[in-house]
Amino acid sequence: MKEMLKRIFLVAFILIVLTAISGYMYMQKHPMEGKTSAKTVKLSGQVSKK
């Protein structure tokens, strides 16, 4: 029973990680242009206005 719960948790965790990675990659290729506010915060902390 405990081994089965560990395996279910591990599979769910791997699926969540893969979903997060694929979503991140998708957003890198297809940014939401015009759907967010005018200001975007870059990784350096600078705010750029479009």
Side-chain angles (χ1 to χ4, degrees):
M1 181 71 178
K2 200 170 183 180
E3 291 295 321
M4 191 171 71
L5 286 175
K6 278 186 186 177
R7 187 168 294 158
I8 290 170
F9 178 76
L10 184 65
V11 168
F13 181 75
I14 290 172
L15 286 175
I16 290 170
V17 169
L18 286 176
T19 304
I21 292 171
S22 64
Y24 177 77
M25 295 294 186
Y26 178 81
M27 289 306 295
Q28 293 300 309
K29 282 188 175 181
H30 308 282
M32 294 193 296
E33 297 168 359
K35 294 182 183 174
T36 58
S37 64
K39 289 190 237 174
T40 56
V41 179
K42 293 183 180 178
L43 290 177
S44 61
Q46 297 173 342
V47 177
S48 64
K49 292 184 181 180
K50 291 185 179 179

